[in-house]
Every structure is written in C-alpha cells, then in structure tokens.
Amino acid sequence: MRILYHLPLAPSCRKVRLVMAEKRLAFELLSEDVWKKRPEFLSINPAGEVPVLVEETGLTVPDSSVICEYLEEAYPDTSLMGRTLAERVEVRRLTAWFDDKFNREVTRNLLFEKVFKRFYGKSNPDAQALRAGYNNIKFHLDYIAWLSENRTWLAGSRLSMADFAAAAHISSLDYIGDINWEKNPAVKEWYVRIKSRPSFRSLLSDRISGIVPPKYYTDLDF
Amino acid sequence: MRILYHLPLAPSCRKVRLVMAEKRLAFELLSEDVWKKRPEFLSINPAGEVPVLVEETGLTVPDSSVICEYLEEAYPDTSLMGRTLAERVEVRRLTAWFDDKFNREVTRNLLFEKVFKRFYGKSNPDAQALRAGYNNIKFHLDYIAWLSENRTWLAGSRLSMADFAAAAHISSLDYIGDINWEKNPAVKEWYVRIKSRPSFRSLLSDRISGIVPPKYYTDLDF
C-alpha cells in the first residue's frame, strides 16, 4: 500500500491528502513526529519534513509541491493543474501564494505558535506573532473572498490545486477557531462547497490531543 | 521583448536567469526595488516579490518555481527537469531543497542580513543569524560535495534545474566572500564546471553598490 507520512493538522500534508483523495488514490496515513528526528525517517527524507509519499514501487517523493507535481504527471486523469499554459500559471501562482505567503504571514503565526511550537520544546505562543497573524489573516481572507466572488473557483472556472492549497490552511485554522465566518460570508460560501467534497472527510476526523475544535468544524452546512 | 523583473544578487532571480539563458530565451532584465512597494509593480504581482516574467503576449508569471515549471512546459526543447518520473522527482526535490531549506538556513542568515536588510530600513546584521548561517553552510556544502562526488551532476547523470538552483545560491554567497573554496574542493570542482557555462556570464557581471566581490569571483579557473 502507498504510504503518506504526515502530521494531522499540517496544511502542507492536508493539501496532499485532498489531492490524492480527489485522484482516488488509496494510501495509508502514518503520523510522523518530525521534531523527534527519527533516523529511519531522516533516511527517507534528509530534509526531515512531512509530507513524504512512498509509492509501492519504493519511489519516495518528499515536499508537498514536489508531490503535487509528481501526482499530476503520474496520475493525470483527474487534472487539478489547469489545461492551458495561462491556466496552469494561475493555478501554480495561487498554490504558491498559499503554500508560501499565507503560510509565512498567517499559519506560522497562529497554528505553529498555538499548536506545534510546544512539540519543539519551545515556550508559549509569542504575543507579537499572534498579533501579526490576526492582522494578516484579514487581508488574506479578503483576497480569497475577492477571488471567489469573481470566479467559480479560486484560480478560474475549474476546481484546482489552488482551492485545495487554500482549503488546507483554512481548515487547520478553523480547527483552532481562528476563522471568523460571520465576517467573511464569501469565503464561507466557497469553503462550504469544498468542505462538502468526499475528499474532505478524512481531514475533518483528525483530532489533536488537548485541542477540541469548535462545534461547527465538522458541519457541512454551518 | 520578454521582461524579467529581478534583483541582482537574489538567488531566486539568478536561477531563472540561468534557466532562461540555457533555453536561449532572449529577455530584458529590469531591476525592481521590491521594498519600495511600487503600486505598478504590485499590480503585476500582488505578492510584491521578484522574479516576475512578463511574456510579449502579456502573460505574467511570478514566483521562481512557477516560472521554472512554466518555462519547462512552454519551451520544452532544452529540458532541465529530467525524463523519467523518478528523475523528475529528484530534480524537483533538490531544487526545492535549495530554494527552501538552503535559503532559510544559509542564504537568509548571510546574504539577507549583510546585503538586503538595509534596504528594508532595518539595522545591522544580526550576530545570531550570521552565526547560524556560517554553521549551517558547512553541512550544506558537505551535502553538495557528496552529491557531486557520487553523480555527474547534482540530481544525476544530466545537468538539471537542481544544479542551477544550487549555483544561484552559491554564486550570490561567493559575491560576498562567504564560500570557503579551499575547504570544499569537491564543491569547487562542480562549481567550476557550471560557472564556465555561457549562461553564467550575465550573473558574474552584476555589481551591487558598496560591495566589491572577491578577485576570484569572475575567474572561470580560480
């Protein structure tokens, strides 16, 4: 069986899980506590990070972007990357936007500070980071709202990798109660559509010890 | 004429310049002081970062990874991404290694602190960052040495995007005198080969005001 090393709330891993589920690829999830720097895991991925996909053939594919490019080439039937060159640029631009910019400006300041930091033996959430995260998320949610009001899906008329990259971050932040849905109805309308997809089910059943998600977290019509 | 918005010493821009030159694509270089947040530039790339490629058709492609994937699809003749799925995974894995991990652990701590930080109106280089950078670069140079001793080029038997991603960082750090060539003969042997390529010429003529590169910086046989 195909294996995906992951961490339950990590958006980079959630993106890959969504993409694999959309492509109907069966896989076993193995949770890897990367902060323990397990030698066997480092020999699989010297970068020491999740996600890592290991195919039944033994082919090992690390890094969420590398995995997604690989999945498009190896399993092109359900393409999530767009058809024309211009469509593919827009899908990849927005995917990189969420993977890099949203991650650095929002997710790292909120999710890492509140959930993952303690695993690295570090202290309480940094107040300055939290403030920056709460400030930045407003602009990013406005951008998602603008995209979803002007297009059927974030990158254009077709559902794409960009929607899953964004939904991966939003879903993890929703778990810790950091998405204000009342103030962001356009984002909610888009998120309801993507959250209702069968590929989303596995994500919504993740639980992290010590953190209970809000009641509406698993509701498809919240 | 095709335009590439860039910053002279930025490795992400250098990687794209090398790849475009290898593919024999003519382009005009425009230096963009991203810290000035010029509204016209933000309308081209809302992420506010370089590199950004603008094709003659008007198609705008931001982000060094997105540009490189686009160039492979639009101009496939000189492929730098490998042929088989496994080769392509290895090329993309190492390219991401240099773009992300090397950048975060080495380049940000040395090049950003010493050169770019002042443009953002920030203070002198942070001593802790410099220490971390000088410590981390040793392990990364050992890894490049190991790869180049065990393979013809970094990702395997063929010259690839991974070599240009690595050479982009190494060349910028060499400009500020931060590569100890005497201690890293295997890295030097690989770098001499890649530095001698015609695609490298334009990079070696970059100059940043106030910082003079070491004498050997432009020597092809140093």
Side-chain angles (χ1 to χ4, degrees):
Chain A
M1 174 74 105
R2 206 176 276 121
I3 290 171
L4 185 71
Y5 291 90
H6 84 130
L7 272 171
L9 276 192
S12 58
C13 301
R14 292 191 151 204
K15 182 185 70 171
V16 172
R17 290 161 69 187
L18 290 168
V19 168
M20 289 178 74
E22 289 287 330
K23 287 178 177 286
R24 299 175 193 278
L25 300 172
F27 59 99
E28 188 186 344
L29 269 179
L30 287 185
S31 191
E32 178 67 36
D33 296 343
V34 291
W35 49 88
K36 293 182 181 164
K37 304 195 177 192
R38 208 164 51 86
E40 295 83 358
F41 182 67
L42 289 174
S43 74
I44 292 171
N45 181 17
E49 287 158 14
V50 285
V52 178
L53 170 65
V54 182
E55 288 277 26
E56 275 181 343
T57 58
L59 180 65
T60 300
V61 192
D63 185 291
S64 86
S65 300
V66 178
I67 295 173
C68 286
E69 293 289 345
Y70 164 76
L71 292 172
E72 276 294 296
E73 293 182 352
Y75 309 101
D77 278 358
T78 310
S79 172
L80 296 170
M81 206 64 106
R83 290 180 202 174
T84 66
L85 283 172
E87 281 175 14
R88 294 168 76 80
V89 165
E90 184 62 357
V91 169
R92 287 193 176 110
R93 177 185 80 82
L94 284 173
T95 304
W97 177 285
F98 294 107
D99 286 353
D100 301 337
K101 192 174 172 69
F102 188 102
N103 186 59
R104 189 173 64 238
E105 297 178 355
V106 180
T107 308
R108 234 198 112 72
N109 285 325
L110 300 178
L111 191 71
F112 178 80
E113 289 293 330
K114 292 184 182 184
V115 177
F116 290 109
K117 199 175 183 181
R118 58 184 161 132
F119 297 128
Y120 288 89
K122 292 182 182 169
S123 52
N124 290 331
D126 178 72
Q128 202 178 341
L130 294 178
R131 254 198 315 278
Y134 287 124
N135 187 49
N136 295 336
I137 196 172
K138 286 185 238 157
F139 300 98
H140 277 282
L141 290 175
D142 283 351
Y143 190 48
I144 296 176
W146 183 86
L147 291 170
S148 61
E149 280 168 343
N150 285 279
R151 301 166 170 184
T152 314
W153 295 99
L154 297 190
S157 59
R158 265 187 281 274
L159 178 70
S160 79
M161 200 77 79
D163 295 283
F164 296 110
H169 284 274
I170 297 295
S171 68
S172 293
L173 292 165
D174 194 31
Y175 185 100
I176 57 172
D178 277 349
I179 307 289
N180 185 331
W181 293 114
E182 281 185 21
K183 283 200 175 166
N184 295 282
V187 179
K188 182 173 174 177
E189 188 275 326
W190 160 81
Y191 188 61
V192 163
R193 278 189 287 141
I194 200 158
K195 186 180 177 181
S196 308
R197 299 183 69 82
S199 61
F200 232 85
R201 273 182 216 141
S202 142
L203 270 62
L204 297 176
S205 65
D206 282 352
R207 289 296 175 274
I208 288 268
S209 78
I211 306 176
V212 180
K215 277 185 190 153
Y216 56 77
Y217 174 71
T218 50
D219 284 358
L220 299 185
D221 187 19
F222 60 106
Chain B
M1 173 74 104
R2 207 176 274 122
I3 290 170
L4 185 71
Y5 291 90
H6 85 130
L7 272 171
L9 276 192
S12 59
C13 301
R14 293 191 149 204
K15 180 184 72 170
V16 171
R17 289 161 71 186
L18 289 168
V19 167
M20 290 178 74
E22 289 286 332
K23 288 178 177 285
R24 299 174 191 279
L25 300 172
F27 59 100
E28 189 186 346
L29 269 180
L30 287 184
S31 191
E32 179 66 36
D33 295 343
V34 292
W35 49 87
K36 293 181 180 163
K37 304 195 178 190
R38 209 163 51 87
E40 295 83 357
F41 181 67
L42 290 174
S43 75
I44 292 171
N45 181 17
E49 287 159 16
V50 284
V52 178
L53 171 66
V54 182
E55 289 277 25
E56 276 182 340
T57 57
L59 179 65
T60 300
V61 192
D63 185 291
S64 86
S65 300
V66 178
I67 295 172
C68 286
E69 293 289 345
Y70 164 77
L71 291 173
E72 276 294 296
E73 293 182 352
Y75 309 100
D77 278 357
T78 309
S79 172
L80 295 170
M81 206 65 107
R83 292 179 201 175
T84 66
L85 283 172
E87 281 174 13
R88 294 167 76 80
V89 165
E90 184 62 356
V91 169
R92 288 192 175 110
R93 177 185 81 81
L94 284 173
T95 303
W97 177 284
F98 293 108
D99 285 354
D100 301 335
K101 191 173 170 70
F102 188 101
N103 186 58
R104 190 174 62 238
E105 297 178 354
V106 179
T107 309
R108 234 198 113 73
N109 286 324
L110 301 178
L111 191 72
F112 179 80
E113 289 292 329
K114 293 183 181 185
V115 177
F116 291 109
K117 199 175 183 181
R118 58 185 160 131
F119 297 127
Y120 288 88
K122 292 185 181 167
S123 52
N124 289 330
D126 178 71
Q128 203 178 340
L130 294 179
R131 256 199 312 278
Y134 287 124
N135 187 50
N136 295 336
I137 196 172
K138 289 186 238 159
F139 300 99
H140 278 282
L141 291 175
D142 283 350
Y143 189 46
I144 295 175
W146 183 86
L147 292 169
S148 61
E149 280 169 342
N150 285 280
R151 302 165 169 187
T152 314
W153 295 100
L154 297 190
S157 59
R158 264 187 283 273
L159 178 70
S160 79
M161 201 76 83
D163 295 281
F164 296 110
H169 284 273
I170 297 294
S171 68
S172 294
L173 292 166
D174 194 31
Y175 186 99
I176 57 171
D178 276 350
I179 307 289
N180 185 332
W181 294 114
E182 283 186 18
K183 282 200 175 165
N184 296 282
V187 179
K188 183 175 175 177
E189 188 276 326
W190 160 81
Y191 187 61
V192 163
R193 278 189 287 142
I194 200 158
K195 187 181 176 181
S196 308
R197 299 184 69 82
S199 61
F200 232 83
R201 274 183 214 140
S202 142
L203 269 63
L204 297 177
S205 65
D206 283 353
R207 289 295 175 274
I208 288 268
S209 78
I211 305 177
V212 180
K215 277 185 191 153
Y216 55 78
Y217 174 70
T218 49
D219 285 358
L220 298 186
D221 187 20
F222 60 105

